[in-house]
Amino acid sequence: MARIRRERPVLLAAILSALAALAAGMNKWVVLVLLLVMILTALFNEAPIIEAEPAPPLEIEPEAPPSRLPEVSATLSGLDIPVMVLSDDASVLFQNRAAEKAFGEVALGAHISARLRSPGVLDMVRETIATNAPNQIEHAERLPSERVYIVRSAPIEFAADDGPHERYFILSFRDISEVRRIDRMRSDFVANASHELRTPLASLLGFIETLQGPARSDPAAQERFLEIMRGQANRMTRLIDDLLSLSRIEMRVHVPPRQTLDLAPLVRQIAESLAPLARERGVEIRSELPGEPALVQGDRDELLRVIENLVENAVKYGESGGTVDIALATRAAGVGSRGPLERRGFVELSVRDYGPGIASEHIPRLTERFFRVDVAASRNKGGTGLGLAIVKHIVNRHRGTLSIESEPGQGALFKVMLPRMQDDEQG
Protein backbone atom coordinates (compact mmCIF):
# COMPACT_ATOMS: atom_id res chain seq x y z
CA MET A 1 0.00 0.00 0.00
CA ALA A 2 2.86 2.35 0.73
CA ARG A 3 4.28 1.66 -2.76
CA ILE A 4 0.84 2.24 -4.38
CA ARG A 5 0.55 5.58 -2.56
CA ARG A 6 4.01 6.50 -3.65
CA GLU A 7 3.48 5.51 -7.32
CA ARG A 8 -0.06 6.89 -7.53
CA PRO A 9 0.76 9.54 -10.19
CA VAL A 10 2.36 6.87 -12.44
CA LEU A 11 -0.62 4.48 -12.09
CA LEU A 12 -3.07 7.26 -12.86
CA ALA A 13 -1.10 8.16 -15.99
CA ALA A 14 -1.10 4.47 -17.12
CA ILE A 15 -4.89 4.17 -16.72
CA LEU A 16 -5.50 7.38 -18.64
CA SER A 17 -3.20 6.18 -21.42
CA ALA A 18 -5.13 2.83 -21.61
CA LEU A 19 -8.46 4.64 -21.86
CA ALA A 20 -7.12 6.86 -24.59
CA ALA A 21 -5.88 3.75 -26.53
CA LEU A 22 -9.30 2.09 -26.28
CA ALA A 23 -10.96 5.23 -27.49
CA ALA A 24 -8.60 5.23 -30.47
CA GLY A 25 -9.83 1.75 -31.45
CA MET A 26 -6.92 -0.42 -30.31
CA ASN A 27 -7.53 -4.04 -29.40
CA LYS A 28 -8.76 -4.21 -25.86
CA TRP A 29 -6.61 -7.20 -24.99
CA VAL A 30 -3.51 -5.48 -26.21
CA VAL A 31 -4.41 -2.40 -24.18
CA LEU A 32 -5.04 -4.56 -21.10
CA VAL A 33 -1.67 -6.31 -21.42
CA LEU A 34 0.16 -3.00 -21.81
CA LEU A 35 -1.67 -1.57 -18.79
CA LEU A 36 -0.72 -4.55 -16.63
CA VAL A 37 2.89 -4.30 -17.75
CA MET A 38 2.97 -0.63 -16.83
CA ILE A 39 1.33 -1.25 -13.45
CA LEU A 40 3.72 -4.10 -12.57
CA THR A 41 6.72 -2.11 -13.69
CA ALA A 42 5.69 0.84 -11.52
CA LEU A 43 4.99 -1.34 -8.50
CA PHE A 44 7.96 -3.71 -8.53
CA ASN A 45 10.78 -1.80 -10.16
CA GLU A 46 13.24 -0.44 -7.49
CA ALA A 47 14.85 2.94 -8.14
CA PRO A 48 18.62 2.84 -8.02
CA ILE A 49 20.04 3.95 -4.64
CA ILE A 50 22.74 6.53 -4.96
CA GLU A 51 24.98 6.45 -1.98
CA ALA A 52 26.26 9.86 -0.97
CA GLU A 53 29.93 10.21 -0.34
CA PRO A 54 30.65 10.51 3.40
CA ALA A 55 31.55 14.02 4.51
CA PRO A 56 35.07 14.45 5.74
CA PRO A 57 35.28 14.46 9.57
CA LEU A 58 35.38 17.90 11.17
CA GLU A 59 38.62 18.75 12.87
CA ILE A 60 37.78 19.89 16.46
CA GLU A 61 40.40 22.20 17.83
CA PRO A 62 41.18 21.49 21.50
CA GLU A 63 39.93 24.18 23.87
CA ALA A 64 42.62 26.27 25.55
CA PRO A 65 42.71 25.66 29.32
CA PRO A 66 41.21 28.56 31.30
CA SER A 67 43.51 31.15 32.89
CA ARG A 68 44.23 30.91 36.60
CA LEU A 69 44.06 34.70 37.03
CA PRO A 70 40.35 34.74 38.10
CA GLU A 71 41.11 32.19 40.82
CA VAL A 72 44.08 34.19 42.05
CA SER A 73 42.04 37.42 42.01
CA ALA A 74 39.12 35.86 43.88
CA THR A 75 41.47 34.63 46.60
CA LEU A 76 43.28 37.93 47.04
CA SER A 77 40.11 40.03 47.02
CA GLY A 78 39.28 38.82 50.52
CA LEU A 79 42.53 40.06 52.10
CA ASP A 80 42.50 43.20 54.24
CA ILE A 81 45.98 44.30 53.14
CA PRO A 82 46.62 46.05 49.80
CA VAL A 83 47.57 43.52 47.10
CA MET A 84 48.19 43.88 43.34
CA VAL A 85 48.76 41.22 40.67
CA LEU A 86 51.27 42.15 37.97
CA SER A 87 52.14 40.60 34.62
CA ASP A 88 55.60 39.91 33.16
CA ASP A 89 55.83 43.50 31.97
CA ALA A 90 54.75 44.96 35.36
CA SER A 91 51.24 45.80 34.15
CA VAL A 92 48.49 45.75 36.77
CA LEU A 93 46.14 42.80 36.19
CA PHE A 94 44.22 43.03 39.47
CA GLN A 95 44.07 45.04 42.68
CA ASN A 96 41.88 44.29 45.69
CA ARG A 97 39.68 46.78 47.52
CA ALA A 98 42.29 47.47 50.18
CA ALA A 99 44.73 48.53 47.44
CA GLU A 100 42.10 50.77 45.83
CA LYS A 101 41.42 52.40 49.18
CA ALA A 102 45.11 52.92 49.98
CA PHE A 103 46.45 53.98 46.57
CA GLY A 104 43.42 54.81 44.44
CA GLU A 105 42.02 52.85 41.51
CA VAL A 106 44.53 51.89 38.82
CA ALA A 107 43.34 51.12 35.27
CA LEU A 108 43.84 47.41 34.59
CA GLY A 109 46.59 46.92 32.05
CA ALA A 110 48.40 50.09 33.09
CA HIS A 111 52.02 49.91 34.18
CA ILE A 112 52.60 49.92 37.93
CA SER A 113 54.58 53.15 37.59
CA ALA A 114 51.33 54.94 36.71
CA ARG A 115 50.50 54.84 40.43
CA LEU A 116 53.64 54.00 42.39
CA ARG A 117 56.48 56.29 41.38
CA SER A 118 58.91 55.21 44.08
CA PRO A 119 62.23 54.26 42.42
CA GLY A 120 62.90 51.71 45.13
CA VAL A 121 59.59 49.88 44.58
CA LEU A 122 59.94 49.94 40.77
CA ASP A 123 63.51 48.63 40.94
CA MET A 124 62.37 45.85 43.28
CA VAL A 125 59.57 44.83 40.87
CA ARG A 126 61.97 44.78 37.91
CA GLU A 127 64.45 42.66 39.86
CA THR A 128 61.75 40.17 40.86
CA ILE A 129 60.57 39.83 37.26
CA ALA A 130 64.15 39.35 36.04
CA THR A 131 65.30 36.89 38.72
CA ASN A 132 61.98 35.24 39.63
CA ALA A 133 62.97 35.65 43.31
CA PRO A 134 60.95 37.43 46.05
CA ASN A 135 62.10 40.81 47.37
CA GLN A 136 60.90 43.37 49.88
CA ILE A 137 61.53 47.01 50.67
CA GLU A 138 60.28 49.66 53.11
CA HIS A 139 58.22 52.35 51.40
CA ALA A 140 56.69 55.55 52.82
CA GLU A 141 53.62 57.34 51.42
CA ARG A 142 53.30 61.04 52.27
CA LEU A 143 49.82 61.75 50.88
CA PRO A 144 47.00 61.83 51.82
CA SER A 145 48.60 60.91 55.17
CA GLU A 146 51.99 59.58 56.17
CA ARG A 147 52.03 55.79 56.03
CA VAL A 148 54.91 53.31 56.10
CA TYR A 149 54.65 49.94 54.31
CA ILE A 150 56.75 46.82 53.95
CA VAL A 151 56.30 46.19 50.21
CA ARG A 152 56.95 42.61 49.09
CA SER A 153 57.05 41.26 45.53
CA ALA A 154 56.92 37.53 44.84
CA PRO A 155 56.27 35.35 41.77
CA ILE A 156 53.52 32.73 41.53
CA GLU A 157 53.65 30.11 38.77
CA PHE A 158 51.19 27.57 37.38
CA ALA A 159 52.66 24.74 35.26
CA ALA A 160 50.30 22.02 33.98
CA ASP A 161 51.12 19.00 31.77
CA ASP A 162 48.25 19.75 29.37
CA GLY A 163 48.21 23.56 29.66
CA PRO A 164 50.35 26.63 29.17
CA HIS A 165 52.79 27.93 31.75
CA GLU A 166 51.41 30.95 33.65
CA ARG A 167 53.43 33.36 35.77
CA TYR A 168 52.18 36.34 37.78
CA PHE A 169 53.73 38.59 40.39
CA ILE A 170 52.11 39.49 43.70
CA LEU A 171 52.82 42.96 45.12
CA SER A 172 51.67 43.19 48.76
CA PHE A 173 51.79 46.12 51.21
CA ARG A 174 51.97 45.55 54.99
CA ASP A 175 51.19 48.73 56.95
CA ILE A 176 53.70 49.23 59.77
CA SER A 177 52.86 52.88 60.43
CA GLU A 178 51.52 52.14 63.91
CA VAL A 179 54.57 50.05 64.78
CA ARG A 180 56.90 52.84 63.68
CA ARG A 181 54.86 55.38 65.63
CA ILE A 182 55.00 53.27 68.81
CA ASP A 183 58.75 52.74 68.39
CA ARG A 184 59.24 56.48 67.97
CA MET A 185 57.08 57.20 71.01
CA ARG A 186 59.02 54.65 73.06
CA SER A 187 62.33 56.20 72.04
CA ASP A 188 61.04 59.69 72.78
CA PHE A 189 59.66 58.50 76.11
CA VAL A 190 62.98 57.00 77.20
CA ALA A 191 64.89 60.08 76.04
CA ASN A 192 62.48 62.48 77.77
CA ALA A 193 62.33 60.47 80.99
CA SER A 194 66.12 60.29 81.10
CA HIS A 195 66.37 64.02 80.50
CA GLU A 196 63.76 64.85 83.15
CA LEU A 197 65.58 62.74 85.73
CA ARG A 198 69.04 63.90 84.72
CA THR A 199 68.32 67.56 85.42
CA PRO A 200 67.32 67.24 89.11
CA LEU A 201 70.02 64.62 89.69
CA ALA A 202 72.67 66.97 88.31
CA SER A 203 71.28 69.73 90.49
CA LEU A 204 71.40 67.54 93.58
CA LEU A 205 74.98 66.47 92.87
CA GLY A 206 76.02 70.10 92.42
CA PHE A 207 74.49 71.19 95.71
CA ILE A 208 75.98 68.22 97.54
CA GLU A 209 79.45 69.12 96.27
CA THR A 210 78.85 72.74 97.32
CA LEU A 211 77.75 71.67 100.81
CA GLN A 212 80.80 69.45 101.11
CA GLY A 213 83.09 72.22 99.90
CA PRO A 214 82.60 76.03 100.00
CA ALA A 215 79.37 75.95 102.04
CA ARG A 216 80.68 73.52 104.63
CA SER A 217 80.74 76.22 107.32
CA ASP A 218 77.92 78.44 106.04
CA PRO A 219 74.63 77.57 107.86
CA ALA A 220 72.58 80.08 105.82
CA ALA A 221 73.80 78.65 102.50
CA GLN A 222 73.23 75.13 103.79
CA GLU A 223 69.64 75.95 104.71
CA ARG A 224 68.99 77.51 101.33
CA PHE A 225 70.64 74.69 99.38
CA LEU A 226 68.87 71.97 101.37
CA GLU A 227 65.51 73.59 100.59
CA ILE A 228 66.35 73.58 96.88
CA MET A 229 67.53 69.98 97.12
CA ARG A 230 64.27 68.97 98.77
CA GLY A 231 62.35 70.59 95.90
CA GLN A 232 64.43 68.70 93.34
CA ALA A 233 63.94 65.43 95.23
CA ASN A 234 60.19 66.05 95.35
CA ARG A 235 60.23 66.73 91.62
CA MET A 236 61.91 63.37 90.95
CA THR A 237 59.44 61.66 93.27
CA ARG A 238 56.49 63.16 91.40
CA LEU A 239 58.01 62.18 88.06
CA ILE A 240 58.60 58.58 89.14
CA ASP A 241 55.10 58.36 90.64
CA ASP A 242 53.59 59.66 87.39
CA LEU A 243 55.66 57.22 85.32
CA LEU A 244 54.51 54.30 87.48
CA SER A 245 50.89 55.48 87.36
CA LEU A 246 51.00 55.79 83.58
CA SER A 247 52.53 52.33 83.26
CA ARG A 248 49.84 50.77 85.47
CA ILE A 249 47.04 52.49 83.55
CA GLU A 250 48.45 51.38 80.19
CA MET A 251 48.60 47.78 81.40
CA ARG A 252 44.86 47.88 82.25
CA VAL A 253 43.63 50.10 79.42
CA HIS A 254 41.81 47.18 77.74
CA VAL A 255 40.02 46.11 80.95
CA PRO A 256 37.02 48.38 81.63
CA PRO A 257 36.28 49.07 85.32
CA ARG A 258 33.18 47.52 86.90
CA GLN A 259 32.53 49.68 89.96
CA THR A 260 29.47 51.96 89.91
CA LEU A 261 30.01 55.35 91.54
CA ASP A 262 28.69 58.91 91.65
CA LEU A 263 31.06 61.59 90.32
CA ALA A 264 29.53 64.43 92.36
CA PRO A 265 31.17 63.46 95.70
CA LEU A 266 34.51 63.07 93.91
CA VAL A 267 34.28 66.58 92.50
CA ARG A 268 33.46 68.00 95.96
CA GLN A 269 36.38 66.08 97.49
CA ILE A 270 38.90 67.44 94.97
CA ALA A 271 37.54 71.00 95.21
CA GLU A 272 37.98 70.93 99.00
CA SER A 273 41.44 69.33 98.87
CA LEU A 274 42.75 71.88 96.35
CA ALA A 275 41.17 74.88 98.09
CA PRO A 276 44.40 75.73 100.02
CA LEU A 277 46.45 75.68 96.79
CA ALA A 278 43.84 77.87 95.09
CA ARG A 279 43.82 80.40 97.98
CA GLU A 280 47.61 80.51 97.92
CA ARG A 281 47.49 81.48 94.24
CA GLY A 282 44.52 83.82 94.59
CA VAL A 283 42.11 81.58 92.68
CA GLU A 284 38.49 80.80 93.52
CA ILE A 285 37.16 77.32 92.71
CA ARG A 286 33.44 77.29 91.86
CA SER A 287 31.51 74.04 91.50
CA GLU A 288 28.19 73.38 89.75
CA LEU A 289 26.80 69.93 90.51
CA PRO A 290 23.56 68.26 89.36
CA GLY A 291 20.67 67.49 91.69
CA GLU A 292 20.58 63.86 90.54
CA PRO A 293 23.37 61.28 90.91
CA ALA A 294 25.93 61.34 88.09
CA LEU A 295 26.45 57.58 87.96
CA VAL A 296 29.26 56.05 85.92
CA GLN A 297 31.06 52.75 85.83
CA GLY A 298 34.63 53.45 86.83
CA ASP A 299 37.63 53.16 89.09
CA ARG A 300 37.36 55.59 92.02
CA ASP A 301 41.09 56.27 92.40
CA GLU A 302 41.61 56.80 88.67
CA LEU A 303 38.65 59.17 88.32
CA LEU A 304 39.89 61.13 91.36
CA ARG A 305 43.21 61.41 89.54
CA VAL A 306 41.48 62.76 86.42
CA ILE A 307 39.56 65.43 88.35
CA GLU A 308 42.59 66.35 90.44
CA ASN A 309 44.91 66.73 87.43
CA LEU A 310 42.44 68.88 85.47
CA VAL A 311 41.57 71.15 88.40
CA GLU A 312 45.18 71.47 89.58
CA ASN A 313 46.31 72.39 86.05
CA ALA A 314 43.54 74.98 85.83
CA VAL A 315 44.60 76.53 89.15
CA LYS A 316 48.31 76.57 88.31
CA TYR A 317 48.22 77.65 84.66
CA GLY A 318 45.05 79.74 84.74
CA GLU A 319 45.67 81.58 88.00
CA SER A 320 45.79 84.93 86.20
CA GLY A 321 42.05 84.52 85.52
CA GLY A 322 41.29 84.33 89.22
CA THR A 323 38.54 81.70 88.83
CA VAL A 324 38.23 78.00 88.00
CA ASP A 325 34.77 76.59 87.23
CA ILE A 326 33.98 72.90 87.67
CA ALA A 327 30.68 71.72 86.18
CA LEU A 328 29.15 68.26 86.29
CA ALA A 329 26.04 67.43 84.22
CA THR A 330 24.17 64.40 82.92
CA ARG A 331 23.21 64.34 79.25
CA ALA A 332 20.50 62.33 77.56
CA ALA A 333 21.30 59.87 74.78
CA GLY A 334 21.96 61.44 71.40
CA VAL A 335 22.76 64.93 72.73
CA GLY A 336 26.15 66.10 71.49
CA SER A 337 27.79 62.69 71.64
CA ARG A 338 28.87 59.87 69.38
CA GLY A 339 29.24 56.09 69.48
CA PRO A 340 28.35 54.38 72.78
CA LEU A 341 27.79 57.78 74.45
CA GLU A 342 25.11 58.57 71.89
CA ARG A 343 23.26 55.33 72.57
CA ARG A 344 23.07 55.50 76.37
CA GLY A 345 23.78 59.08 77.39
CA PHE A 346 26.78 60.36 79.29
CA VAL A 347 28.07 62.32 82.25
CA GLU A 348 30.00 65.47 81.34
CA LEU A 349 32.72 66.89 83.56
CA SER A 350 34.06 70.27 82.47
CA VAL A 351 36.88 72.32 84.01
CA ARG A 352 37.32 75.89 82.78
CA ASP A 353 39.95 78.46 83.63
CA TYR A 354 40.19 82.08 82.51
CA GLY A 355 43.95 82.32 82.15
CA PRO A 356 46.16 83.03 79.12
CA GLY A 357 44.74 80.19 77.02
CA ILE A 358 46.52 77.86 74.63
CA ALA A 359 47.42 78.41 70.98
CA SER A 360 45.56 76.13 68.56
CA GLU A 361 48.73 74.51 67.21
CA HIS A 362 49.57 73.17 70.69
CA ILE A 363 46.15 71.65 71.53
CA PRO A 364 46.55 68.35 69.57
CA ARG A 365 49.82 67.64 71.43
CA LEU A 366 48.75 68.47 74.97
CA THR A 367 48.14 64.82 75.89
CA GLU A 368 51.55 63.64 74.63
CA ARG A 369 54.04 62.50 77.24
CA PHE A 370 56.34 65.30 78.43
CA PHE A 371 54.85 67.86 76.06
CA ARG A 372 54.75 71.36 77.56
CA VAL A 373 53.68 74.62 75.97
CA ASP A 374 56.12 76.48 78.22
CA VAL A 375 58.80 74.15 79.60
CA ALA A 376 60.25 76.62 82.12
CA ALA A 377 56.86 77.66 83.48
CA SER A 378 55.75 74.03 83.79
CA ARG A 379 58.85 73.07 85.78
CA ASN A 380 58.54 76.10 88.02
CA LYS A 381 54.96 75.07 88.82
CA GLY A 382 56.00 71.50 89.63
CA GLY A 383 54.66 69.91 86.47
CA THR A 384 56.05 66.63 85.14
CA GLY A 385 54.57 66.80 81.63
CA LEU A 386 52.63 63.58 82.23
CA GLY A 387 49.40 64.83 83.82
CA LEU A 388 47.26 65.10 80.69
CA ALA A 389 48.74 61.89 79.25
CA ILE A 390 47.52 60.13 82.40
CA VAL A 391 44.10 61.79 82.05
CA LYS A 392 43.80 60.64 78.43
CA HIS A 393 44.67 57.01 79.23
CA ILE A 394 42.27 56.87 82.18
CA VAL A 395 39.45 58.32 80.07
CA ASN A 396 40.20 55.79 77.31
CA ARG A 397 40.04 52.95 79.83
CA HIS A 398 36.62 54.22 80.96
CA ARG A 399 35.43 54.26 77.30
CA GLY A 400 34.99 58.03 77.42
CA THR A 401 36.26 61.02 75.46
CA LEU A 402 38.44 64.02 76.29
CA SER A 403 38.12 67.31 74.42
CA ILE A 404 40.06 70.57 74.79
CA GLU A 405 38.89 74.02 73.70
CA SER A 406 41.03 77.13 74.04
CA GLU A 407 42.06 80.39 72.43
CA PRO A 408 44.89 82.72 73.44
CA GLY A 409 43.60 85.17 76.03
CA GLN A 410 40.30 83.30 76.48
CA GLY A 411 41.27 80.60 78.96
CA ALA A 412 40.87 76.86 78.40
CA LEU A 413 38.01 74.38 78.70
CA PHE A 414 38.63 70.66 79.31
CA LYS A 415 35.67 68.29 78.90
CA VAL A 416 35.52 64.64 79.93
CA MET A 417 32.49 62.60 78.82
CA LEU A 418 31.90 59.17 80.36
CA PRO A 419 29.12 56.65 79.62
CA ARG A 420 26.23 57.16 81.99
CA MET A 421 24.90 54.35 84.16
CA GLN A 422 21.12 54.02 84.17
CA ASP A 423 19.26 53.49 87.45
CA ASP A 424 18.18 49.99 86.39
CA GLU A 425 21.83 49.00 85.78
CA GLN A 426 23.10 49.58 89.30
CA GLY A 427 22.54 46.01 90.37
Side-chain angles (χ1 to χ4, degrees), residues 89-386:
D89 59 355
S91 298
V92 179
L93 302 178
F94 168 78
Q95 63 174 161
N96 63 0
R97 291 185 179 180
E100 292 179 4
K101 184 177 179 181
F103 307 111
E105 188 173 356
V106 180
L108 298 183
H111 195 271
I112 185 62
S113 60
R115 178 59 187 88
L116 293 174
R117 302 184 182 276
S118 168
V121 174
L122 298 179
D123 289 343
M124 179 190 66
V125 170
R126 282 192 289 267
E127 183 179 349
T128 299
I129 294 175
T131 63
N132 207 41
N135 288 286
Q136 71 178 30
I137 193 174
E138 186 172 306
H139 167 65
E141 286 277 323
R142 302 300 178 187
L143 296 173
S145 60
E146 184 174 353
R147 311 297 296 176
V148 182
Y149 297 95
I150 294 295
V151 186
R152 187 175 190 274
S153 60
I156 54 172
E157 298 186 65
F158 299 97
D161 296 336
D162 56 349
H165 179 271
E166 293 182 75
R167 184 174 73 152
Y168 304 107
F169 298 91
I170 303 296
L171 196 63
S172 61
F173 301 79
R174 181 162 58 92
D175 192 341
I176 59 170
S177 306
E178 190 67 16
V179 176
R180 288 288 182 269
R181 187 184 68 84
I182 292 174
D183 287 343
R184 188 166 56 248
M185 287 179 59
R186 184 181 295 113
S187 300
D188 292 345
F189 177 77
V190 172
N192 287 323
S194 302
H195 175 73
E196 293 292 331
L197 287 171
R198 185 182 294 114
T199 301
L201 281 174
S203 177
L204 286 174
L205 289 173
F207 285 122
I208 291 173
E209 291 175 358
T210 302
L211 291 174
Q212 290 176 336
R216 182 191 301 270
S217 303
D218 189 346
Q222 291 178 1
E223 186 69 23
R224 185 172 70 256
F225 291 159
L226 288 173
E227 184 64 25
I228 297 174
M229 291 171 65
R230 187 178 69 172
Q232 295 295 334
N234 288 335
R235 177 183 168 189
M236 283 194 297
T237 301
R238 288 193 302 271
L239 179 60
I240 293 172
D241 288 344
D242 284 350
L243 287 172
L244 292 175
S245 297
L246 188 57
S247 177
R248 285 193 295 266
I249 294 166
E250 287 180 334
M251 289 177 60
R252 298 183 296 174
V253 70
H254 300 296
V255 182
R258 298 299 181 187
Q259 180 183 359
T260 299
L261 51 89
D262 184 1
L263 282 184
L266 305 187
V267 172
R268 281 193 291 267
Q269 177 181 339
I270 295 300
E272 293 173 359
S273 65
L274 292 178
L277 174 65
R279 284 194 299 269
E280 179 184 336
R281 295 176 179 268
V283 176
E284 178 187 4
I285 298 177
R286 300 183 301 194
S287 302
E288 181 181 346
L289 304 178
E292 60 182 355
L295 299 177
V296 298
Q297 201 169 50
D299 184 290
R300 178 184 176 85
D301 293 336
E302 290 185 357
L303 291 178
L304 278 172
R305 187 70 178 273
V306 167
I307 302 169
E308 181 182 25
N309 282 1
L310 292 179
V311 177
E312 186 175 358
N313 283 349
V315 170
K316 289 180 178 179
Y317 300 105
E319 61 180 313
S320 60
T323 304
V324 170
D325 290 332
I326 310 173
L328 189 64
T330 56
R331 307 294 185 190
V335 180
S337 57
R338 297 179 181 178
L341 301 181
E342 182 179 5
R343 292 192 297 270
R344 63 185 302 171
F346 59 96
V347 174
E348 180 184 277
L349 168 70
S350 63
V351 178
R352 177 186 289 277
D353 67 70
Y354 299 89
I358 306 167
S360 58
E361 63 267 21
H362 298 311
I363 291 178
R365 300 193 59 193
L366 287 178
T367 56
E368 293 181 11
R369 297 177 178 90
F370 298 109
F371 178 80
R372 299 178 176 93
V373 176
D374 187 335
V375 176
S378 174
R379 287 178 177 171
N380 290 336
K381 297 177 185 297
T384 63
L386 295 173

Side-chain angles (χ1 to χ4, degrees), residues 1-12 42-43:
M1 292 303 295
R3 189 179 293 274
I4 290 173
R5 284 194 297 270
R6 188 172 63 248
E7 302 295 339
R8 186 165 50 190
V10 177
L11 296 176
L12 182 58
L43 293 177

Side-chain angles (χ1 to χ4, degrees), residues 32-43:
L32 181 60
V33 171
L34 294 174
L35 179 61
L36 290 175
V37 172
M38 294 176 66
I39 291 173
L40 292 174
T41 301
L43 293 177

